[in-house]
């Protein structure tokens, strides 16, 4: 129902209520049962058991569950059939170890999912509020949750509005709706009927749930409660928005599926090949051979899966989250940490995000001269600088400022932390701050009972009909009426102007005033005229506002705006250098939005296109898709529009970060790839919907977070490159044993795996994972903010990473296999041969981690610049040697002690592939750089 387009009597009739008596208790009770409590519906949460079970469906976990089944089956056979208790216990140890890995991975996934959603709990605060309601002809206080359609409510300054209202009576009523519409200034409310096509922000005869009364009072009738309110619609939008998977989640999920398929194929081929080989060689398949084949299959299953990848990923993202927190960025969703690194568009609300949400006078005209005002916000510090560069004389604007604060009921006060806080209408507050910068305060003027002896005689408050405010004062025995208001209203009432200290006919100053007004308007400044008139005592005491508000003397004009945050312009420039586009999406007016965007460098020309909410309504999705990539400013938009814009950008495969602070931003924050909320001035709803909260409310923190996100993703790629290389080496060493060892070598039979499953688990979870954790602390390798965002659609194995993983993993795997074969040929035991292969793999990947740190070579980074990595490598190396010396691990893992000479040989020989490959690559790189340098030198000559 378009209540704003109906007349008051029609509304009361439709709602079956009375302006005089209100609802009866019986009516209120019936409607409460019909419409329900005035509360927002809470998002239905998935049961904990479902969330836990879902974590076991991950592809990597499925393969590990298969490995557990094989291990348990092998143990059962050995226990109850063959009687090989030693082999049975080894299989049990393998199963237990893999179960622990599954529990850790699934537990972490469950914990993250369980704690990620807080949704709309903050909106339930409305239950704590009450409203003054007319029931049974009496005004009573009613809990906000018991408000029903048809209730007649009375509000005053400071009250919260707890339902959607249609105003029936207003007296200087001004409402702050910035949380809903994005407009910084309070909105003057009326009872006038509005056209049906009036946009939300222009429906001045309505009051909306969640708004606050900042001035005056009013009586309205409740037309909607709970989910039927505009706030409820936003709540519904939030609940209908599906959480977006981050780029890294998509990449890892896709990789996991591929690894699961590859692992399943390899296991099937291995088992099939071994069975056929046994059948051909022996003519039958014994249970003992099946046990050996199962051991190899379990080892391959474990080797095929980067078991620690989910854990390491979570830890590296946690490290990144801590890095961001140190830069005032609080991350709520770990998987969203790296999303900023691939962000291509930052869609930002204007009010409170790009601007301060603090109305301030930035320019003014007084005594015929234009001044620029330094300083922003409510702090009364700042200089006045003349536009023409001449010296400033305070006498030129003294009277202008005095009139501005005398005709004013706002004030500013310092809080306990000496931060200045506003009280009153935002426009009036800006005038108070302006005058305070010259140490002119209303209280001081009225308290001075000396020669001037100023007193307030009468006040005619601002109203929507006159669009003016007038105060009558007595000063030094003379009477003056002081009037301020919109210039277009004041202009026909003005007879004189104060120019260079002289009162002249307005015609002589009109051209200068008009030019100044036009200049201010082009800068999207809201203008207020300040005037005075000397009157008689009789007029002062008895004249009407209409009689007083004529023959005025123009004193000056102020230009007011919600100023941009000082740091934003530089941040926008840095983001543009990083190929990240900043888009302004606001509920404010198009002219204001365009001016702010121009000042901040979001748009480069005054001819840049601005799309309004009405334009969006007229556009099809296809039409919006054609212009969305090149549009930087959207104005007068609703929450639905914001979501539509984000969706269209996502349809173009863009990664979107959405910032905001108001309730109206919350659905868009949730729909975006990453939502960013303001921590200081943001609403609780917005913070709950966000993935990243700016603790300092500074846009520059976003720019720093983008850099951190790119660094974090680079570190994630490094550790994944390292882990996958190790997995390739493990699988290849095992497969080479299966396909190339066709008969016994010394004490090693043809079904003996190159590595035991627990050896593989040790490598994956200890000697491989600990250094991978440490890679999360690496600093950026190069100037990441001069690079383009990574393509979120690309596989993490793109750009040569797959080739590098396969080549280095292949070389390492071949080396592990050769070490195993050499040890077996020397007559060493099975345990010793597998131990040599195990340590060759351990130290091979520990050397390789230094190569994995760089997209270039290990020679391009200081190996000791990451102290945590040095410690991790040292611990992994020491502990891996210890598990070959301690009897318990000899029994569980199948390791055996070696001589000191053998340990040293393994350490040195395992380093050869990494140093040789990196050395060759470094020489090729140096040669290429040299040829390029020579080519550039030749071009210059």
């Amino acid at each position: 129902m378009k209540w704003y387009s109906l007349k008051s009597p029609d509304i009361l009739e439709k709602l079956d209520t009375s302006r005089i008596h209100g609802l009866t208790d019986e009516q209120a009770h019936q409607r409460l049962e019909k419409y329900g409590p005035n509360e927002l519906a809470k998002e239905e949460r998935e049961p904990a058991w479902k969330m836990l079970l879902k974590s076991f469906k991950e592809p990597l976990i499925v393969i590990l569950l298969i490995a557990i089944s094989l291990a348990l089956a092998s143990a059962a056979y050995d226990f109850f059939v063959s009687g090989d208790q030693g082999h049975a216990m080894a299989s049990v140890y393998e199963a237990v170890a893999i179960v622990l890995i599954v529990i850790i991975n699934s537990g972490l996934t469950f914990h993250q999912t369980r704690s990620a959603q807080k949704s709309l709990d903050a909106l339930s605060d409305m239950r704590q509020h009450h409203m003054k309601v007319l029931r049974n002809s009496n005004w009573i206080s009613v809990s906000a949750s018991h408000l029903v359609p048809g209730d007649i409510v009375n509000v005053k300054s400071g009250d919260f509005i707890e339902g959607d209202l249609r105003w029936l009576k207003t007296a200087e009523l001004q409402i702050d709706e910035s949380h809903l519409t994005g407009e910084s200034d309070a909105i003057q409310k009326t009872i006038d009927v509005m056209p049906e096509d009036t946009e939300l922000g222009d429906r001045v005869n309505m009051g909306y749930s969640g708004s606050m009364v900042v001035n005056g009072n009013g009586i309205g009738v409740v037309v909607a409660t709970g989910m039927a309110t505009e706030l409820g619609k936003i709540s519904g939008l939030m609940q209908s928005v599906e959480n977006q998977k981050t780029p890294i989640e998509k990449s890892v999920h896709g990789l996991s599926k591929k690894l699961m398929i590859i692992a399943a194929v390899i296991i099937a081929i291995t088992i099939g090949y071994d069975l056929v080989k046994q059948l051909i060689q022996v003519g039958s398949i014994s249970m003992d051979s099946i046990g050996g084949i199962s051991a190899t299959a379990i080892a391959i299953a474990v080797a095929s899966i980067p078991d620690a990848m989910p854990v390491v990923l979570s830890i590296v993202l946690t490290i990144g989250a801590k890095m961001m927190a140190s830069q005032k960025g609080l991350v709520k969703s770990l998987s969203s940490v790296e999303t900023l690194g691939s962000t291509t568009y930052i869609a930002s609300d204007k009010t409170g995000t790009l601007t301060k949400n603090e109305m301030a006078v930035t320019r003014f005209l007084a005594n015929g001269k234009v001044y620029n005002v330094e300083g922003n916000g409510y702090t009364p510090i700042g200089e006045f600088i003349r536009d023409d560069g001449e010296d400033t004389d305070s006498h030129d604007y003294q009277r202008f400022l005095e009139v501005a604060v005398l005709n004013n009921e706002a004030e500013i006060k310092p809080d306990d932390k000496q931060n200045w806080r506003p009280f009153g209408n935002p426009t009036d507050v800006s005038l108070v701050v302006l005058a305070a910068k010259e140490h002119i305060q209303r209280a001081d003027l009225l308290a001075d009972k000396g020669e001037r002896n100023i007193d307030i005689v009468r006040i005619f408050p601002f109203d929507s009909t006159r669009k003016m405010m007038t105060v009558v004062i007595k000063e030094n025995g003379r009477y003056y009426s002081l009037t301020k208001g919109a210039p277009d209203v004041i202009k026909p009432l003005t007879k004189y102007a104060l120019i260079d200290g002289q009162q002249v006919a307005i015609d002589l100053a009109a051209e200068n005033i008009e030019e100044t007004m036009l200049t201010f308007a082009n800068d999207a400044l809201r203008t207020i005229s300040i005037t005075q008139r000397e009157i008689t005592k009789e007029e002062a005491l008895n004249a009407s506002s209409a009689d007083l508000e004529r023959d005025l003397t123009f004193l000056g004009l102020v230009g007011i705006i919600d100023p941009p945050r000082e740091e934003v312009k530089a941040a926008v420039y840095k983001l543009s250098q990083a190929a990240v586009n900043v888009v302004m999406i606001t509920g404010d007016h198009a002219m204001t939005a365009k001016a702010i965007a121009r000042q901040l460098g979001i748009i480069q020309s005054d001819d840049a296109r601005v799309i309004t909410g009405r334009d969006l309504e007229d556009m099809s999705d296809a039409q919006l898709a054609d212009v969305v990539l090149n549009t930087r400013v959207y104005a007068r938009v609703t929450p639905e529009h914001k979501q539509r814009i984000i969706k269209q950008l996502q349809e173009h495969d863009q990664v979107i970060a959405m910032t905001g602070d108001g309730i109206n931003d919350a659905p868009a924050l949730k729909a975006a790839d990453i939502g960013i909320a303001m921590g200081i001035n943001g609403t609780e709803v917005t913070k709950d919907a966000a993935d990243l909260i700016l603790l300092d409310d500074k846009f520059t923190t976003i720019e720093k977070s983008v850099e951190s996100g790119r660094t974090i993703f680079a570190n994630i790629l490094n550790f994944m490159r390292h882990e996958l290389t190790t997995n390739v080496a493990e699988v290849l060493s095992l497969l080479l044993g299966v396909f190339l060892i066709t008969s016994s070598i010394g004490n090693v039979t043809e079904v003996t795996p190159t590595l035991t499953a627990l050896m593989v688990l040790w490598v994956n979870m200890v000697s491989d994972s600990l250094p991978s954790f440490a890679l999360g602390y690496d600093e950026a390798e190069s100037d990441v903010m001069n690079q383009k965002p990574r393509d979120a659609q690309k596989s993490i194995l793109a750009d040569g990473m797959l080739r590098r993983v396969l080549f280095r993993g292949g070389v390492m795997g071949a080396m592990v296999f050769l070490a195993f074969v050499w040890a077996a040929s020397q007559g060493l035991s099975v345990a010793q041969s597998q131990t040599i292969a195990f340590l060759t793999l351990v130290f091979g990947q520990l050397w390789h981690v230094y190569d994995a740190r760089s997209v270039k070579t290990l020679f391009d980074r200081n190996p000791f610049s990451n102290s945590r990595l040095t410690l991790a490598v040292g611990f992994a190396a020491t502990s891996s040697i210890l598990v070959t010396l301690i009897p318990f691990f000899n029994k569980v893992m199948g390791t055996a002690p070696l001589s000191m000479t053998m340990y040293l040989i393994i350490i040195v020989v395992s380093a050869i592939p990494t140093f040789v490959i990196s050395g060759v690559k470094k020489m090729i790189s140096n040669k290429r750089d040299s040829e390029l340098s020579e080519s550039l030198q030749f071009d210059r000559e």
Side-chain angles (χ1 to χ4, degrees), residues 202-264:
D202 296 324
R203 297 170 191 169
V204 294
N205 59 6
M206 296 290 294
Y208 294 109
S209 181
S211 304
M212 187 178 74
V213 182
V214 298
N215 189 62
N217 57 75
I219 295 175
V221 57
V222 177
V223 296
T225 58
M227 294 299 290
T229 64
E230 290 296 327
L231 190 57
K233 294 175 184 176
I234 294 176
S235 169
L237 286 173
M238 288 183 66
Q239 294 185 21
S240 65
V241 174
E242 293 184 4
N243 290 321
Q244 300 293 317
K245 281 186 176 292
T246 67
I248 194 65
E249 285 179 318
K250 295 174 184 176
S251 298
V252 171
H253 187 73
L255 178 62
S256 298
K257 280 188 173 180
K258 292 175 183 176
L259 289 176
M260 182 180 72
I261 295 171
I262 292 171

Side-chain angles (χ1 to χ4, degrees), residues 60 64 101 105 255-256 259 301-312 719-720 723-724 727 730 764-765 768-769:
L60 299 184
L64 292 179
I101 300 303
N105 284 341
L255 178 62
S256 298
L259 289 176
V302 175
S304 301
I305 300 300
D307 315 86
M309 187 165 70
V311 180
V312 175
F719 98 69
M720 292 188 74
E723 291 229 338
L724 292 174
N727 287 119
E730 291 168 347
N764 287 353
M765 300 306 299
D768 189 37
S769 297

Side-chain angles (χ1 to χ4, degrees), residues 541-557:
L541 297 177
N542 300 311
S544 67
S545 61
D547 290 333
L548 294 173
E549 293 166 348
R550 61 181 178 81
D551 298 336
L552 305 174
T553 298
F554 179 85
L555 299 181
L557 180 78

Side-chain angles (χ1 to χ4, degrees), residues 834-844 880-881 884 898 903 906:
Q834 289 179 324
T835 298
I836 289 174
F838 165 66
L839 290 178
T840 302
L841 176 62
V842 167
F843 284 99
S880 295
I881 290 176
T884 68
L898 303 174
Y903 285 125
I906 292 172

